[in-house]
Amino acid sequence: DAVKKLGVKVVEIHTGKYAQSFIKGDYKNDLKKIVDTVEYAYTNGIECHAGHGLDLKNVGQIAKIEQIVELNVGYSIICESIFLGLEKSIEKFKSEMS
């Protein structure tokens, strides 16, 4: 509500807690909170981005949220590129996000 009142047009949803709970296998509640927040923002004309802790294993669930228009996964792409090379790392992320 504060973001809406301030006239902010874009927010980034912090996905760090979701990423941590994903590791434990108990992420559904955190994912639901993200979905609900994104839907609320979207219905109020606020564009959503998401990031923090997203990697090849957990990005797919967040990428399915249609109202999120940008995922910030650059750090993870670079980390993966150490093992796979940059091109293959980017390809794997694109595959997980589609």
Side-chain angles (χ1 to χ4, degrees):
D1 290 331
V3 169
K4 181 181 170 185
K5 192 181 252 186
L6 289 169
V8 173
K9 300 294 180 201
V10 179
V11 295
E12 179 167 306
I13 305 300
H14 192 287
T15 55
K17 189 172 181 205
Y18 158 79
Q20 289 297 315
S21 63
F22 193 92
I23 293 168
K24 299 173 190 171
D26 185 25
Y27 64 90
K28 292 185 185 208
N29 188 44
D30 291 316
L31 181 61
K32 182 173 178 358
K33 287 179 186 177
I34 292 169
V35 168
D36 291 347
T37 300
V38 170
E39 287 177 359
Y40 182 78
Y42 181 79
T43 61
N44 285 283
I46 301 166
E47 181 177 300
C48 288
H49 301 181
H52 301 282
L54 296 177
D55 60 24
L56 282 170
K57 294 176 184 163
N58 64 27
V59 73
Q61 296 292 323
I62 300 297
K64 290 178 184 175
I65 305 170
E66 292 182 21
Q67 297 88 353
I68 294 178
V69 299
E70 180 178 301
L71 294 174
N72 294 306
V73 294
Y75 179 79
S76 292
I77 289 174
I78 296 303
C79 291
E80 287 292 326
S81 74
I82 292 170
F83 304 104
L84 304 173
L86 188 56
E87 187 174 336
K88 285 184 182 178
S89 178
I90 291 169
E91 287 173 9
K92 283 191 92 156
F93 267 90
K94 285 171 76 174
S95 174
E96 287 298 319
M97 291 189 282
S98 58

